[in-house]
Amino acid sequence: MVKKNKSKSKAAPLPPAPVADPVDDDLMDDLLAQLDSRDQTVKQESAAVLDEIHIQKQAEQLEQKPKQSAKNRFQARLARKAAALAQSIVPDDPDDQARLEKEAKDEEEAIDRICKQRGRRVYQINPDGHCLFSAIADQLTLLGKLPSSQATYATMRAAAASYIESHVDDFLPFLPTTDEPDEGSGLMSPEQFQQYCHSIRCSSVWGGEPEILALSRAFRTPIYVVQGGVPPIVVHDPSGDASANNVITQDGVWLSYHRKLYGLGEHYNSLRPAPPS
């Protein structure tokens, strides 16, 4: 009787190496906002949390995946940003703290000078990652262009994202790709562009120049940004006419842009009309 050859059983594949769970998007948003706080204790606590969850390692793991989705690339960039911000915090360094305080004071004085010249006063906006959108909502309500019931950052985020989505050619050249510099054309892919718009609409990722321009055009209102640098007033005109950048009127959205006020991140406040003296 011929014995049948027993088939050799294949060795079970090794289990994959454990990978840390990605940070929840809402938690990441909160931690990034807290890193902007003027409270040194809050900043240090946020940095400690980011260190405990090994944020740098998570960024590396996301970037090493062979097939990355736009969402994974976006999460990796956020993780890198959070790690860099956390590492930049120097706890209890008197000299460094004194330097930051002086820079913040100089910036505040420069903005105050422009406000006095233009009859404006700073109205503080919560530094929660939504500050740009909240500040613009506040201004549009004062101008009568937005009902107070809709004066929320969510309304502004939706308006900015919708305008950018419907004017791809106007914005895509100014939105860098999330790929490596030597890959592709340097422009966002359609998938990346949709992820970018989704993040503007649905997360607390910070807004910037593209969103200011989008809201200026969506509401057909010039937006003036007062800052401590040069030029002291940055004009965003909805017409796109370069010559309009030299025309500044009171009938527009007025914001202040702070690089130093909250230590690490950019921040926007609303500049309301000053009461008569």
Side-chain angles (χ1 to χ4, degrees):
M1 183 175 180
V2 179
K3 293 183 179 180
K4 294 182 179 179
N5 292 330
K6 294 182 179 180
S7 59
K8 295 182 180 179
S9 59
K10 295 183 180 179
L14 294 174
V19 177
D21 293 333
V23 181
D24 178 79
D25 289 346
D26 291 337
L27 173 60
M28 178 68 78
D29 292 339
D30 290 342
L31 290 171
L32 284 170
Q34 289 169 12
L35 284 171
D36 266 348
S37 173
R38 281 186 287 185
D39 188 322
Q40 188 70 11
T41 301
V42 172
K43 290 194 292 188
Q44 291 177 15
E45 289 176 351
S46 300
V49 171
L50 288 166
D51 182 62
E52 288 175 3
I53 61 179
H54 306 292
I55 193 66
Q56 183 75 19
K57 188 67 174 178
Q58 291 195 39
E60 293 172 358
Q61 290 170 338
L62 284 169
E63 290 172 342
Q64 288 171 1
K65 289 185 177 181
K67 291 185 178 180
Q68 293 191 50
S69 66
K71 182 176 181 180
N72 281 343
R73 286 191 292 268
F74 178 72
Q75 288 177 330
R77 287 192 295 119
L78 275 186
R80 286 286 189 195
K81 182 175 183 178
L85 286 174
Q87 290 172 3
S88 69
I89 295 176
V90 181
D92 301 327
D93 184 332
D95 292 337
D96 188 67
Q97 189 65 25
R99 177 183 59 81
L100 291 175
E101 289 176 358
K102 183 181 184 305
E103 291 176 353
K105 182 180 179 181
D106 291 344
E107 179 184 66
E108 185 176 9
E109 290 176 349
I111 291 174
D112 284 345
R113 282 195 298 271
I114 301 299
C115 287
K116 289 178 181 178
Q117 295 170 6
R118 296 289 173 175
R120 296 276 160 175
R121 64 179 177 87
V122 174
Y123 177 76
Q124 296 288 342
I125 298 295
N126 190 31
D128 56 2
H130 304 294
C131 58
L132 171 64
F133 304 100
S134 296
I136 293 178
D138 180 71
Q139 286 283 304
L140 289 174
T141 301
L142 295 176
L143 293 172
K145 297 197 173 190
L146 188 69
S148 57
S149 60
Q150 298 178 24
T152 66
Y153 65 76
T155 301
M156 294 296 95
R157 282 186 173 278
S162 295
Y163 190 91
I164 292 173
E165 280 179 326
S166 60
H167 296 79
V168 180
D169 293 340
D170 291 343
F171 291 91
L172 191 58
F174 304 100
L175 299 175
T177 179
T178 55
D179 291 330
E180 293 299 320
D182 58 347
E183 296 182 13
S185 64
L187 299 179
M188 283 186 176
S189 67
E191 183 185 22
Q192 291 170 349
F193 182 76
Q194 288 302 316
Q195 177 61 36
Y196 177 87
C197 293
H198 175 77
S199 69
I200 292 300
R201 178 181 283 109
C202 300
S203 78
S204 60
V205 64
W206 294 314
E209 289 293 312
E211 290 69 46
I212 294 175
L213 181 58
L215 290 172
S216 173
R217 293 180 178 178
F219 288 91
R220 299 181 181 180
T221 303
I223 297 180
Y224 307 116
V225 181
V226 176
Q227 61 179 3
V230 178
I233 302 177
V234 180
V235 179
H236 301 81
D237 188 83
S239 68
D241 183 359
S243 63
N245 291 341
N246 298 321
V247 179
I248 299 176
T249 68
Q250 289 294 88
D251 297 328
V253 167
W254 284 81
L255 310 176
S256 57
Y257 172 56
H258 308 262
R259 292 184 178 89
K260 306 295 183 180
L261 181 61
Y262 288 89
L264 289 173
E266 303 168 352
H267 181 69
Y268 292 88
N269 281 321
S270 172
L271 296 181
R272 291 183 173 183
S277 55

